[in-house]
Amino acid sequence: MLVGPTGGGKTANYRTLQHTMTALAGQGNYEKVNTHILNPKSITMGQLYGEVDPQTTEWIDGVLAKKIEICAADQSPEKHWVMFDGPVDALWIESMNTVLDDNKKL
């Protein structure tokens, strides 16, 4: 997690690391890095994580779930970084902590 003030270089930092690791792909343990950027404040929590459709009572995957599914389906050695690039909000960060904790990823 990169946290800092607006304009502090967080985005430039991870982009530099991504480009460097991709340039070194095939040397040592380096592989190409693909980034998938989401701004969690631009959509609702239901659109981000998924929600139950109140009319059909069916689960609808959110953007994050679909993006993770795409990344997980890639059988190549390439790395996939799913990045939340936007202002930190207590609501979405707490939801992310819950998802990771429930799946024993923390």
Side-chain angles (χ1 to χ4, degrees), residues 4 6 10 38-42 84-90 92-93:
T6 301
K10 300 176 298 293
L38 302 171
N39 181 344
K41 293 288 285 180
S42 66
F84 281 15
D85 195 354
V88 175
D89 176 84
W92 72 255
I93 198 72

Side-chain angles (χ1 to χ4, degrees), residues 11-97:
T11 301
N13 198 330
Y14 80 71
R15 284 183 181 166
T16 300
L17 183 58
Q18 174 203 9
H19 291 298
T20 303
M21 289 178 71
T22 298
L24 292 171
Q27 301 177 33
N29 292 328
Y30 297 103
E31 298 295 341
K32 179 180 178 188
V33 176
N34 300 291
T35 54
H36 308 272
I37 314 304
L38 302 171
N39 181 344
K41 293 288 285 180
S42 66
I43 55 179
T44 67
M45 290 297 102
Q47 291 169 330
L48 181 62
Y49 293 111
E51 61 189 347
V52 174
D53 183 324
Q55 295 176 346
T56 65
T57 66
E58 291 182 11
W59 178 259
I60 301 170
D61 283 339
V63 174
L64 180 61
K66 290 180 180 181
K67 187 58 69 176
I68 296 294
E69 183 179 1
I70 290 167
C71 295
D74 183 4
Q75 297 297 311
S76 75
E78 296 179 2
K79 298 185 182 306
H80 292 269
W81 294 349
V82 179
M83 309 289 291
F84 281 15
D85 195 354
V88 175
D89 176 84
L91 185 59
W92 72 255
I93 198 72
E94 188 58 38
S95 296
M96 177 60 73
N97 284 338

